[in-house]
Amino acid sequence: MAHDPIVLDLAGTDIQAESARIRERGPIAEVVLPGGVPAWSVTDQAVLRSLLADSRVSKDPRQHWAAFINGEITESWPLLPWVAVDSMFTAYGKDHRRLRKLVSPAFTHRRTTALRPRIEELITDLLDDLATTPPGEVADLRSRYAYPVPIRVITELMGVPEHLGPPMHTCVDGFFDTSFTPEQAQANYLEMFRLVSELVAYRREQPGDDITSVLITTRDEDDGSQLTEKELVDTLMLVINAGHETTVNLLDQAITALLTHPGQRAAVVSGEVPWSDLVEETLRYQAPVAHLPLRYAVEDIEIDGGYRIPKGEAILASYAGASRDPKIHGDTSDEFDIRRKTKDQHVAFGYGAHHCLGAPLARLEATMALPALFQRFPKLRFATDPKELAPVGSFISNGHATLPVYLDGE
């Protein structure tokens, strides 16, 4: 039975309900992106994993997206910054392997684990600040905890000087706001590019033990090549955007889940269930990035069940829908359960060649920030009906605009 494509709600009003409607149409379904741009949403996890690992699927629009090549995608398209950058995020084949090889040294296990003391210090400072909230006064955990933990970690990791931090934070917020007009999106991208270019210039003059300095000097051991200037700036933009928003939403959704599931909250707080299990189930239950633009079919791709993605058409990785696939998680796929056996079977950090390099850092931050919060404020509770929590205003980013709570439980 033929269906009209589902026009995605750009405000992300109810991402999971929309994902369920898409899933009802099969493993892939036609959707409409901003500006009336068509794409194939993939909510079947097995199919999505297969596509993400398939060499016939590209992230380079210049080579493989017919609409981009034909000039149908113009500078006015609000999602252009997601597809037109020069970084490993949009690279394909040997170009992607080259870029990932150059970027990987900045995300070694040593560099990530070395951040533990500094993350702990940042968390303590933020909790001390929250503790100054007068009894009975509402505190917003999104803006005062879930947001500042990862943004401070990633900007310090990147070596962002103090004067560039606040304006960068503003641009990061705008990058994920899919309700922006094309003019707002373009202006936000240009400002972010300018700020990161300024960061690069600063670290060339004052190098340090940070990602920016590492990427400026890293050379390919085989041919001696480095990142080009635009690749460098676009890569750093990717690092700050991905390294921040994903963890903000992970903390946001984990806090929300525990405050609405008291039995499971008691289990993790008591140590009966490890905090790492909470993190994995949160990633599955509410993928921090709901839909990730974009990939493209390098050739016609046939999918079991009589489905087909034609060459040159766009593919939308729908992580929120695929991570709740009932074929993997059964009839309880829409329920939050930290004891779930299949909780680590999600695609919240992607899969295949483009699997998120920063995933270990996000998990480290979450497994430190969450227990610290609930141990410091054992009476923590929502100050509003959780059903009334508003989304951030994006079909990409899956979080809440605010998390109003009472810290003292009064």
Side-chain angles (χ1 to χ4, degrees):
M1 179 178 177
H3 295 281
D4 290 332
I6 293 175
V7 179
L8 294 180
D9 175 11
L10 304 188
T13 306
D14 192 341
I15 282 172
Q16 295 298 348
E18 185 171 69
S19 294
R21 289 196 299 275
I22 296 171
R23 190 189 301 114
E24 287 174 358
R25 297 196 175 181
I28 65 171
E30 291 183 280
V31 297
V32 179
L33 299 172
V37 174
W40 292 95
S41 170
V42 187
T43 55
D44 182 294
Q45 189 172 145
V47 171
L48 181 56
R49 284 177 181 266
S50 175
L51 290 173
L52 295 181
D54 195 327
S55 62
R56 298 174 299 167
V57 175
S58 168
K59 291 198 77 177
D60 187 345
R62 295 175 179 85
Q63 291 189 65
H64 301 118
W65 189 14
F68 193 95
I69 296 167
N70 296 338
E72 297 168 40
I73 305 301
T74 67
E75 289 191 359
S76 67
W77 193 48
L79 295 186
L80 191 69
W82 285 91
V83 304
V85 293
D86 290 323
S87 72
M88 64 183 182
F89 184 73
T90 57
Y92 173 69
K94 65 179 182 180
D95 287 334
H96 176 259
R97 290 189 291 274
R98 176 183 70 85
L99 290 169
R100 194 173 177 100
K101 184 177 180 181
L102 288 168
V103 173
S104 293
F107 290 92
T108 61
H109 177 72
R110 178 196 64 80
R111 187 175 291 276
T112 298
T113 54
L115 286 170
R116 182 179 287 274
R118 181 54 182 150
I119 295 172
E120 186 173 358
E121 185 180 341
L122 289 170
I123 287 169
T124 300
D125 289 346
L126 290 167
L127 293 175
D128 287 346
D129 177 68
L130 281 169
T132 66
T133 306
E137 185 174 301
V138 175
D140 176 16
L141 283 186
R142 172 89 180 187
S143 64
R144 294 182 64 184
Y145 195 65
Y147 183 96
V149 168
I151 197 68
R152 290 185 187 181
V153 170
I154 199 66
T155 50
E156 288 193 16
L157 189 60
M158 290 175 61
V160 177
E162 191 171 334
H163 71 281
L164 290 179
M168 273 194 186
H169 301 172
T170 300
C171 287
V172 170
D173 294 343
F175 197 79
F176 284 85
D177 190 337
T178 50
S179 64
F180 265 17
T181 65
E183 292 76 20
Q184 287 174 313
Q186 178 70 359
N188 188 71
Y189 170 77
L190 292 174
E191 177 63 6
M192 185 69 170
F193 192 92
R194 184 190 70 77
L195 290 168
V196 176
S197 297
E198 189 174 333
L199 165 63
V200 171
Y202 179 88
R203 283 300 166 199
R204 277 205 172 96
E205 292 293 323
Q206 302 183 53
D209 184 23
D210 55 77
I211 285 179
T212 303
S213 300
V214 169
L215 293 181
I216 287 171
T217 58
T218 297
R219 291 182 178 274
D220 189 311
E221 60 188 21
D222 294 329
D223 62 13
S225 66
Q226 291 179 280
L227 295 167
T228 67
E229 194 70 9
K230 189 166 191 304
E231 287 172 345
L232 175 59
V233 173
D234 281 351
T235 295
L236 290 168
M237 288 176 64
L238 168 64
V239 169
I240 191 171
N241 283 314
H244 163 253
E245 190 75 8
T246 300
T247 310
V248 174
N249 290 337
L250 170 55
L251 295 176
D252 170 337
Q253 296 289 6
I255 292 167
T256 302
L258 287 192
L259 292 184
T260 52
H261 296 81
Q264 299 187 60
R265 171 181 178 172
V268 290
V269 169
S270 69
E272 178 188 340
V273 175
W275 288 92
S276 57
D277 285 5
L278 162 69
V279 170
E280 293 310 310
E281 176 62 357
T282 302
L283 289 166
R284 184 206 70 82
Y285 180 68
Q286 292 286 8
V289 173
H291 305 278
L292 188 65
L294 272 175
R295 286 170 167 81
Y296 321 98
V298 174
E299 57 186 69
D300 290 353
I301 300 175
E302 304 292 336
I303 294 169
D304 290 347
Y307 298 91
R308 176 174 167 271
I309 300 176
K311 176 182 177 180
E313 296 197 358
I315 300 168
L316 186 68
S318 296
Y319 296 147
S323 292
R324 287 198 186 188
D325 189 342
K327 289 195 285 297
I328 293 173
H329 305 293
D331 295 339
T332 63
S333 60
D334 287 328
E335 298 175 15
F336 180 77
D337 181 5
I338 54 176
R339 295 180 174 85
R340 183 185 301 277
K341 303 274 190 219
T342 57
K343 59 183 165 291
D344 59 348
Q345 294 184 42
H346 59 73
V347 283
F349 290 118
Y351 186 75
H354 285 271
H355 183 268
C356 178
L357 279 173
L361 178 59
R363 287 185 167 104
L364 175 63
E365 291 177 62
T367 52
M368 293 179 67
L370 292 167
L373 174 69
F374 282 88
Q375 287 160 12
R376 185 70 173 270
F377 302 108
K379 295 182 179 180
L380 188 68
R381 69 180 178 89
F382 271 126
T384 188
D385 184 342
K387 295 177 182 176
E388 300 301 317
L389 294 174
V392 291
S394 172
F395 76 90
I396 298 173
S397 181
N398 183 21
H400 301 99
T402 61
L403 287 179
V405 299
Y406 292 119
L407 299 169
D408 52 14
E410 300 299 326

